[in-house]
Amino acid sequence: MLVLTRKREQSIVIGDNVEIMVLGVSGDKVRLGITAPREVEVFRKEVIADRAGAQADTDADTEIVEVEAVAAEPEA
């Protein structure tokens, strides 16, 4: 893990096109601004964990059945 120290209005850049700026600090909360192309999805980590948990619940309730298609033989 890379650990950086930034002050308000300072940024880090990830790759060529993602910028994360510290907008403000208030107590133990940090406000971040993220500039990224629309095709880059940005989520809070807890949202991803919630989605994974919901998907696991859905998968447990769903039975997957594989069906093989067989061509009917013509009647003589």
Side-chain angles (χ1 to χ4, degrees):
M1 175 187 299
L2 173 65
V3 179
L4 301 171
T5 302
R6 300 280 73 204
K7 295 180 181 179
R8 192 168 48 94
E9 297 185 11
Q10 291 183 331
S11 299
I12 63 168
V13 177
I14 300 173
D16 293 330
N17 54 7
V18 177
E19 178 182 1
I20 301 173
M21 177 182 283
V22 177
L23 300 178
V25 179
S26 177
D28 64 345
K29 294 185 179 183
V30 178
R31 290 187 67 211
L32 300 174
I34 302 169
T35 304
R38 286 195 179 274
E39 62 269 10
V40 175
E41 295 182 329
V42 178
F43 297 102
R44 296 183 325 239
K45 187 174 182 178
E46 60 271 19
V47 171
I48 294 172
D50 288 348
R51 284 182 169 185
Q55 184 62 41
D57 290 344
T58 300
D59 290 346
D61 294 339
T62 304
E63 180 180 351
I64 299 174
V65 179
E66 292 185 27
V67 178
E68 182 179 331
V70 177
E73 300 210 11
E75 293 182 21

